[in-house]
Amino acid sequence: MLTQPLWKSALILACVLAGAGSVNAAKKPIPAVKKPIKAASAVNPRYTFVAYGDTRSNPDVHRTIIDLIVAQKPEFVLQSGDLVSDGGNPRQWTEFSEITKPLRDAHIAYYPSRGNHDAGPYYQNYVTEPFEPGGNKYYYAFTRHKNHFIVLDEFQDYAIGSDQYQWLERELKKGQKTAVNTFVLFHESPFSVGPHGPTGMAQRNVHPLFVKYRPRAVFCGHDHLYYRTKRDGVNYLVTGGGGAPLYQADNAALAIPGDVYVSDYHIIRCEVNGTQVSGTVITPSGKVIDKFVFKP
């Protein structure tokens, strides 16, 4: 014999089927849906970014590089500086904007560091926002997938104790405490085998901080070639093959065992899987000139 109207019984049954009831849910969780997947990806992020740099002087080469980048389908790009030859020339920035338009069309974010050729009022227009509080459009930081990215500006004071130096150390500490990986980007490398060679100020000011806080990798440019080295436990990559006239390894005598250097146009495709970073260095013709894996 029914003790309540039929419509009430049907309503109760529908609610039980839809919501599974709080008591039953506690004993037997509902199987996978979207939230558990997101939580897993936050703990073990997987994504791709590309690093390249020194895109000045040869727009035709830069166009082939941009086509290569788009084909990799990265989430974003790091650019190691010298976007144009004359940072005060608006026509060069218009050309740069036209060449890089396919990245914007593909919704690929662009994070540059300022090079010595980029001085002038236009560079700031090409820094992707938002970035995190405390920096500016010359030195700044951003976080994606619990990975922390720090971009320095060597053309503002970064001597020990300066505002930028103190900001850098705070960001490195933050990355060490909260990030799955930390990456650093700036123009003139502490170590290089190209004609510019090592940058003494960077060796004195920031290399000791990197040794202390151990970012996963440091990307630089300035010398127009590819160079990979590991110094005092820090992985450095010089990626200056984006279109500027290529340099030879005039300072090859400064290389140490395990170093790799090639004079060719290229990009670095970085695939991040948790704390492991797998890199593939590719030329516009599709040739792979280096591969590496960085992990703790």
Side-chain angles (χ1 to χ4, degrees):
M1 182 175 180
L2 293 175
T3 59
Q4 56 188 343
L6 286 171
W7 66 269
K8 287 188 177 180
S9 299
L11 179 60
I12 292 170
L13 179 60
C15 290
V16 170
L17 290 175
S22 59
V23 175
N24 290 338
K27 293 179 180 177
K28 188 177 181 180
I30 298 172
V33 210
K34 293 181 180 179
K35 288 185 179 179
I37 293 172
K38 287 183 179 178
S41 65
V43 172
N44 189 31
R46 300 187 68 167
Y47 67 98
T48 298
F49 70 89
V50 163
Y52 84 130
D54 290 274
T55 55
R56 66 177 179 86
S57 304
N58 194 327
D60 290 336
V61 172
H62 191 194
R63 285 188 180 91
T64 67
I65 292 286
I66 292 297
D67 289 343
L68 179 60
I69 292 173
V70 172
Q72 309 307 308
K73 299 182 179 179
E75 184 173 318
F76 58 91
V77 169
L78 304 180
Q79 208 274 17
S80 63
D82 281 359
L83 284 67
V84 297
S85 295
D86 179 0
N89 186 331
R91 287 177 296 179
Q92 291 187 13
W93 287 106
T94 299
E95 180 179 63
F96 176 86
S97 183
E98 178 268 320
I99 292 170
T100 56
K101 184 176 182 296
L103 298 177
R104 297 188 293 278
D105 290 344
H107 306 289
I108 298 169
Y110 202 82
Y111 296 99
S113 62
R114 185 165 62 150
N116 54 297
H117 283 267
D118 296 324
Y122 306 104
Y123 164 81
Q124 296 184 71
N125 297 331
Y126 296 89
V127 178
T128 293
E129 294 190 65
F131 46 83
E132 296 176 7
N136 54 48
K137 281 200 168 185
Y138 294 114
Y139 61 86
Y140 59 96
F142 63 96
T143 300
R144 286 176 177 253
H145 307 290
K146 291 194 174 181
N147 282 223
H148 199 50
F149 293 82
I150 304 169
V151 182
L152 305 182
D153 181 30
E154 291 172 289
F155 309 101
Q156 294 183 72
D157 186 10
Y158 71 114
I160 296 170
S162 66
D163 288 346
Q164 184 175 190
Y165 178 93
Q166 294 179 59
W167 168 86
L168 168 62
E169 185 161 26
R170 288 194 300 271
E171 293 298 327
L172 288 167
K173 284 181 180 177
K174 176 181 176 181
Q176 190 179 63
K177 290 178 179 178
T178 66
V180 178
N181 301 289
T182 298
F183 300 93
V184 182
L185 173 72
F186 58 100
H187 188 56
E188 298 183 5
S189 178
F191 304 96
S192 180
V193 294
H196 289 302
T199 301
M201 188 173 291
Q203 283 192 359
R204 293 189 299 272
N205 293 348
V206 296
H207 176 63
L209 285 179
F210 301 152
V211 173
K212 181 177 181 180
Y213 294 104
R214 293 299 174 93
R216 189 71 65 232
V218 178
F219 297 91
C220 301
H222 199 43
D223 269 332
H224 307 162
L225 43 65
Y226 170 72
Y227 176 51
R228 174 169 61 85
T229 188
K230 188 170 186 176
R231 304 295 176 116
D232 302 316
V234 181
N235 297 304
Y236 285 97
L237 297 133
V238 174
T239 175
L246 291 172
Y247 293 166
Q248 300 301 314
D250 293 349
N251 283 298
L254 299 176
I256 61 175
D259 285 5
V260 177
Y261 49 89
V262 181
S263 177
D264 207 342
Y265 296 114
H266 66 276
I267 65 168
I268 306 176
R269 173 189 169 95
C270 295
E271 299 177 66
V272 181
N273 183 3
T275 58
Q276 179 169 297
V277 181
S278 302
T280 307
V281 186
I282 313 168
T283 72
S285 67
K287 180 182 178 182
V288 173
I289 58 176
D290 189 26
K291 284 189 172 186
F292 57 84
V293 174
F294 297 153
K295 54 187 177 181

mmCIF file of all heavy atoms in Angstrom, residues 188-217:
data_model
loop_
_atom_site.group_PDB
_atom_site.id
_atom_site.type_symbol
_atom_site.label_atom_id
_atom_site.label_comp_id
_atom_site.label_asym_id
_atom_site.label_seq_id
_atom_site.Cartn_x
_atom_site.Cartn_y
_atom_site.Cartn_z
ATOM 1 N N GLU A 188 71.792 38.544 -22.967
ATOM 2 C CA GLU A 188 73.231 38.300 -23.066
ATOM 3 C C GLU A 188 73.652 37.231 -22.054
ATOM 4 O O GLU A 188 73.605 37.446 -20.851
ATOM 5 C CB GLU A 188 74.004 39.603 -22.860
ATOM 6 C CG GLU A 188 73.675 40.643 -23.932
ATOM 7 C CD GLU A 188 74.478 41.927 -23.795
ATOM 8 O OE1 GLU A 188 75.372 41.987 -22.910
ATOM 9 O OE2 GLU A 188 74.228 42.870 -24.563
ATOM 10 N N SER A 189 74.104 36.107 -22.552
ATOM 11 C CA SER A 189 74.334 34.927 -21.720
ATOM 12 C C SER A 189 75.605 35.029 -20.870
ATOM 13 O O SER A 189 76.620 35.569 -21.327
ATOM 14 C CB SER A 189 74.436 33.683 -22.610
ATOM 15 O OG SER A 189 74.695 32.537 -21.833
ATOM 16 N N PRO A 190 75.567 34.466 -19.667
ATOM 17 C CA PRO A 190 76.802 34.369 -18.881
ATOM 18 C C PRO A 190 77.860 33.501 -19.551
ATOM 19 O O PRO A 190 79.052 33.662 -19.290
ATOM 20 C CB PRO A 190 76.336 33.736 -17.566
ATOM 21 C CG PRO A 190 74.866 33.955 -17.504
ATOM 22 C CD PRO A 190 74.399 33.954 -18.930
ATOM 23 N N PHE A 191 77.411 32.567 -20.416
ATOM 24 C CA PHE A 191 78.333 31.641 -21.070
ATOM 25 C C PHE A 191 77.959 31.522 -22.546
ATOM 26 O O PHE A 191 76.795 31.330 -22.890
ATOM 27 C CB PHE A 191 78.276 30.259 -20.403
ATOM 28 C CG PHE A 191 78.552 30.296 -18.930
ATOM 29 C CD1 PHE A 191 77.514 30.336 -18.016
ATOM 30 C CD2 PHE A 191 79.863 30.312 -18.459
ATOM 31 C CE1 PHE A 191 77.762 30.380 -16.656
ATOM 32 C CE2 PHE A 191 80.125 30.367 -17.093
ATOM 33 C CZ PHE A 191 79.078 30.404 -16.189
ATOM 34 N N SER A 192 78.964 31.631 -23.423
ATOM 35 C CA SER A 192 78.719 31.488 -24.858
ATOM 36 C C SER A 192 80.023 31.193 -25.571
ATOM 37 O O SER A 192 81.103 31.596 -25.120
ATOM 38 C CB SER A 192 78.084 32.756 -25.437
ATOM 39 O OG SER A 192 77.852 32.599 -26.831
ATOM 40 N N VAL A 193 79.907 30.507 -26.706
ATOM 41 C CA VAL A 193 81.090 30.234 -27.530
ATOM 42 C C VAL A 193 81.088 31.079 -28.800
ATOM 43 O O VAL A 193 81.972 30.947 -29.638
ATOM 44 C CB VAL A 193 81.163 28.734 -27.915
ATOM 45 C CG1 VAL A 193 81.382 27.885 -26.676
ATOM 46 C CG2 VAL A 193 79.916 28.296 -28.678
ATOM 47 N N GLY A 194 80.091 31.948 -28.962
ATOM 48 C CA GLY A 194 80.037 32.834 -30.115
ATOM 49 C C GLY A 194 81.011 33.985 -29.977
ATOM 50 O O GLY A 194 81.728 34.104 -28.976
ATOM 51 N N PRO A 195 81.051 34.873 -30.976
ATOM 52 C CA PRO A 195 82.011 35.977 -30.944
ATOM 53 C C PRO A 195 81.814 36.941 -29.780
ATOM 54 O O PRO A 195 82.778 37.555 -29.315
ATOM 55 C CB PRO A 195 81.804 36.680 -32.292
ATOM 56 C CG PRO A 195 80.477 36.213 -32.777
ATOM 57 C CD PRO A 195 80.281 34.844 -32.231
ATOM 58 N N HIS A 196 80.573 37.107 -29.294
ATOM 59 C CA HIS A 196 80.370 37.962 -28.116
ATOM 60 C C HIS A 196 80.968 37.328 -26.861
ATOM 61 O O HIS A 196 81.395 38.030 -25.955
ATOM 62 C CB HIS A 196 78.874 38.225 -27.896
ATOM 63 C CG HIS A 196 78.263 39.134 -28.909
ATOM 64 N ND1 HIS A 196 78.728 40.412 -29.138
ATOM 65 C CD2 HIS A 196 77.214 38.953 -29.749
ATOM 66 C CE1 HIS A 196 77.987 40.981 -30.079
ATOM 67 N NE2 HIS A 196 77.071 40.122 -30.473
ATOM 68 N N GLY A 197 80.948 36.003 -26.816
ATOM 69 C CA GLY A 197 81.509 35.294 -25.672
ATOM 70 C C GLY A 197 80.703 35.497 -24.398
ATOM 71 O O GLY A 197 79.574 35.981 -24.430
ATOM 72 N N PRO A 198 81.270 35.122 -23.260
ATOM 73 C CA PRO A 198 80.566 35.245 -21.987
ATOM 74 C C PRO A 198 80.309 36.708 -21.622
ATOM 75 O O PRO A 198 81.105 37.593 -21.956
ATOM 76 C CB PRO A 198 81.518 34.595 -20.983
ATOM 77 C CG PRO A 198 82.467 33.788 -21.801
ATOM 78 C CD PRO A 198 82.588 34.499 -23.103
ATOM 79 N N THR A 199 79.206 36.957 -20.921
ATOM 80 C CA THR A 199 78.898 38.289 -20.410
ATOM 81 C C THR A 199 79.325 38.339 -18.940
ATOM 82 O O THR A 199 78.699 37.704 -18.083
ATOM 83 C CB THR A 199 77.401 38.593 -20.548
ATOM 84 O OG1 THR A 199 77.038 38.496 -21.924
ATOM 85 C CG2 THR A 199 77.072 39.990 -20.028
ATOM 86 N N GLY A 200 80.376 39.078 -18.676
ATOM 87 C CA GLY A 200 80.960 39.098 -17.341
ATOM 88 C C GLY A 200 79.989 39.564 -16.272
ATOM 89 O O GLY A 200 79.943 39.001 -15.170
ATOM 90 N N MET A 201 79.187 40.585 -16.574
ATOM 91 C CA MET A 201 78.254 41.096 -15.578
ATOM 92 C C MET A 201 77.215 40.041 -15.213
ATOM 93 O O MET A 201 76.844 39.885 -14.043
ATOM 94 C CB MET A 201 77.568 42.368 -16.087
ATOM 95 C CG MET A 201 76.715 43.059 -15.026
ATOM 96 S SD MET A 201 76.077 44.659 -15.577
ATOM 97 C CE MET A 201 77.615 45.598 -15.613
ATOM 98 N N ALA A 202 76.742 39.300 -16.210
ATOM 99 C CA ALA A 202 75.774 38.237 -15.931
ATOM 100 C C ALA A 202 76.411 37.122 -15.111
ATOM 101 O O ALA A 202 75.775 36.540 -14.228
ATOM 102 C CB ALA A 202 75.208 37.684 -17.235
ATOM 103 N N GLN A 203 77.672 36.821 -15.391
ATOM 104 C CA GLN A 203 78.374 35.806 -14.585
ATOM 105 C C GLN A 203 78.460 36.237 -13.126
ATOM 106 O O GLN A 203 78.240 35.442 -12.212
ATOM 107 C CB GLN A 203 79.772 35.560 -15.139
ATOM 108 C CG GLN A 203 79.819 34.701 -16.378
ATOM 109 C CD GLN A 203 81.238 34.259 -16.709
ATOM 110 O OE1 GLN A 203 82.202 34.613 -16.019
ATOM 111 N NE2 GLN A 203 81.381 33.481 -17.769
ATOM 112 N N ARG A 204 78.773 37.503 -12.901
ATOM 113 C CA ARG A 204 78.957 37.995 -11.535
ATOM 114 C C ARG A 204 77.615 38.174 -10.809
ATOM 115 O O ARG A 204 77.505 37.837 -9.625
ATOM 116 C CB ARG A 204 79.704 39.336 -11.550
ATOM 117 C CG ARG A 204 81.150 39.230 -12.021
ATOM 118 C CD ARG A 204 81.882 40.546 -11.810
ATOM 119 N NE ARG A 204 81.280 41.644 -12.571
ATOM 120 C CZ ARG A 204 81.602 41.953 -13.817
ATOM 121 N NH1 ARG A 204 82.507 41.238 -14.467
ATOM 122 N NH2 ARG A 204 81.037 42.978 -14.433
ATOM 123 N N ASN A 205 76.626 38.699 -11.513
ATOM 124 C CA ASN A 205 75.391 39.113 -10.838
ATOM 125 C C ASN A 205 74.359 38.007 -10.696
ATOM 126 O O ASN A 205 73.767 37.849 -9.625
ATOM 127 C CB ASN A 205 74.752 40.287 -11.588
ATOM 128 C CG ASN A 205 75.588 41.548 -11.521
ATOM 129 O OD1 ASN A 205 76.538 41.625 -10.736
ATOM 130 N ND2 ASN A 205 75.265 42.529 -12.333
ATOM 131 N N VAL A 206 74.093 37.276 -11.777
ATOM 132 C CA VAL A 206 72.942 36.369 -11.736
ATOM 133 C C VAL A 206 73.305 34.891 -11.736
ATOM 134 O O VAL A 206 72.535 34.075 -11.219
ATOM 135 C CB VAL A 206 71.947 36.672 -12.884
ATOM 136 C CG1 VAL A 206 71.359 38.064 -12.715
ATOM 137 C CG2 VAL A 206 72.597 36.523 -14.249
ATOM 138 N N HIS A 207 74.448 34.529 -12.291
ATOM 139 C CA HIS A 207 74.808 33.107 -12.279
ATOM 140 C C HIS A 207 74.845 32.540 -10.852
ATOM 141 O O HIS A 207 74.322 31.435 -10.622
ATOM 142 C CB HIS A 207 76.141 32.882 -12.992
ATOM 143 C CG HIS A 207 76.618 31.461 -12.943
ATOM 144 N ND1 HIS A 207 75.923 30.419 -13.531
ATOM 145 C CD2 HIS A 207 77.722 30.903 -12.337
ATOM 146 C CE1 HIS A 207 76.575 29.280 -13.310
ATOM 147 N NE2 HIS A 207 77.655 29.549 -12.585
ATOM 148 N N PRO A 208 75.413 33.248 -9.855
ATOM 149 C CA PRO A 208 75.382 32.698 -8.489
ATOM 150 C C PRO A 208 73.966 32.472 -7.960
ATOM 151 O O PRO A 208 73.733 31.513 -7.211
ATOM 152 C CB PRO A 208 76.128 33.754 -7.670
ATOM 153 C CG PRO A 208 77.030 34.431 -8.658
ATOM 154 C CD PRO A 208 76.236 34.479 -9.920
ATOM 155 N N LEU A 209 73.024 33.336 -8.343
ATOM 156 C CA LEU A 209 71.633 33.129 -7.925
ATOM 157 C C LEU A 209 71.059 31.869 -8.566
ATOM 158 O O LEU A 209 70.326 31.111 -7.919
ATOM 159 C CB LEU A 209 70.773 34.339 -8.309
ATOM 160 C CG LEU A 209 70.943 35.597 -7.470
ATOM 161 C CD1 LEU A 209 70.034 36.702 -8.004
ATOM 162 C CD2 LEU A 209 70.640 35.337 -6.002
ATOM 163 N N PHE A 210 71.393 31.640 -9.826
ATOM 164 C CA PHE A 210 70.889 30.439 -10.501
ATOM 165 C C PHE A 210 71.495 29.173 -9.866
ATOM 166 O O PHE A 210 70.813 28.156 -9.731
ATOM 167 C CB PHE A 210 71.216 30.479 -11.988
ATOM 168 C CG PHE A 210 70.634 31.678 -12.708
ATOM 169 C CD1 PHE A 210 71.250 32.189 -13.841
ATOM 170 C CD2 PHE A 210 69.480 32.298 -12.257
ATOM 171 C CE1 PHE A 210 70.735 33.286 -14.506
ATOM 172 C CE2 PHE A 210 68.951 33.405 -12.911
ATOM 173 C CZ PHE A 210 69.589 33.902 -14.046
ATOM 174 N N VAL A 211 72.758 29.250 -9.501
ATOM 175 C CA VAL A 211 73.392 28.103 -8.828
ATOM 176 C C VAL A 211 72.676 27.818 -7.510
ATOM 177 O O VAL A 211 72.453 26.657 -7.137
ATOM 178 C CB VAL A 211 74.894 28.377 -8.597
ATOM 179 C CG1 VAL A 211 75.520 27.269 -7.763
ATOM 180 C CG2 VAL A 211 75.624 28.510 -9.930
ATOM 181 N N LYS A 212 72.272 28.868 -6.819
ATOM 182 C CA LYS A 212 71.615 28.720 -5.518
ATOM 183 C C LYS A 212 70.189 28.187 -5.648
ATOM 184 O O LYS A 212 69.788 27.291 -4.898
ATOM 185 C CB LYS A 212 71.599 30.065 -4.797
ATOM 186 C CG LYS A 212 70.957 30.033 -3.416
ATOM 187 C CD LYS A 212 71.044 31.402 -2.745
ATOM 188 C CE LYS A 212 70.418 31.377 -1.357
ATOM 189 N NZ LYS A 212 70.509 32.715 -0.685
ATOM 190 N N TYR A 213 69.422 28.713 -6.622
ATOM 191 C CA TYR A 213 67.991 28.403 -6.698
ATOM 192 C C TYR A 213 67.630 27.393 -7.796
ATOM 193 O O TYR A 213 66.499 26.931 -7.854
ATOM 194 C CB TYR A 213 67.181 29.692 -6.877
ATOM 195 C CG TYR A 213 67.273 30.591 -5.670
ATOM 196 C CD1 TYR A 213 68.079 31.728 -5.686
ATOM 197 C CD2 TYR A 213 66.588 30.290 -4.502
ATOM 198 C CE1 TYR A 213 68.177 32.562 -4.576
ATOM 199 C CE2 TYR A 213 66.676 31.119 -3.382
ATOM 200 C CZ TYR A 213 67.468 32.243 -3.424
ATOM 201 O OH TYR A 213 67.567 33.056 -2.312
ATOM 202 N N ARG A 214 68.553 27.059 -8.664
ATOM 203 C CA ARG A 214 68.444 25.990 -9.641
ATOM 204 C C ARG A 214 67.172 26.035 -10.512
ATOM 205 O O ARG A 214 66.330 25.130 -10.443
ATOM 206 C CB ARG A 214 68.525 24.626 -8.951
ATOM 207 C CG ARG A 214 69.881 24.337 -8.342
ATOM 208 C CD ARG A 214 70.986 24.315 -9.410
ATOM 209 N NE ARG A 214 72.305 24.177 -8.819
ATOM 210 C CZ ARG A 214 72.921 23.003 -8.625
ATOM 211 N NH1 ARG A 214 72.327 21.888 -8.984
ATOM 212 N NH2 ARG A 214 74.120 22.979 -8.100
ATOM 213 N N PRO A 215 67.021 27.072 -11.339
ATOM 214 C CA PRO A 215 65.951 26.998 -12.341
ATOM 215 C C PRO A 215 66.205 25.815 -13.269
ATOM 216 O O PRO A 215 67.344 25.363 -13.426
ATOM 217 C CB PRO A 215 66.074 28.334 -13.087
ATOM 218 C CG PRO A 215 67.499 28.757 -12.874
ATOM 219 C CD PRO A 215 67.874 28.248 -11.508
ATOM 220 N N ARG A 216 65.146 25.295 -13.894
ATOM 221 C CA ARG A 216 65.303 24.126 -14.763
ATOM 222 C C ARG A 216 66.159 24.468 -15.982
ATOM 223 O O ARG A 216 66.942 23.634 -16.451
ATOM 224 C CB ARG A 216 63.930 23.611 -15.208
ATOM 225 C CG ARG A 216 63.981 22.281 -15.938
ATOM 226 C CD ARG A 216 64.318 21.122 -15.011
ATOM 227 N NE ARG A 216 63.271 20.902 -14.018
ATOM 228 C CZ ARG A 216 63.498 20.823 -12.711
ATOM 229 N NH1 ARG A 216 64.726 20.947 -12.220
ATOM 230 N NH2 ARG A 216 62.494 20.622 -11.863
ATOM 231 N N ALA A 217 65.995 25.689 -16.538
ATOM 232 C CA ALA A 217 66.796 26.093 -17.695
ATOM 233 C C ALA A 217 66.812 27.610 -17.785
ATOM 234 O O ALA A 217 65.876 28.288 -17.352
ATOM 235 C CB ALA A 217 66.240 25.501 -18.986
#
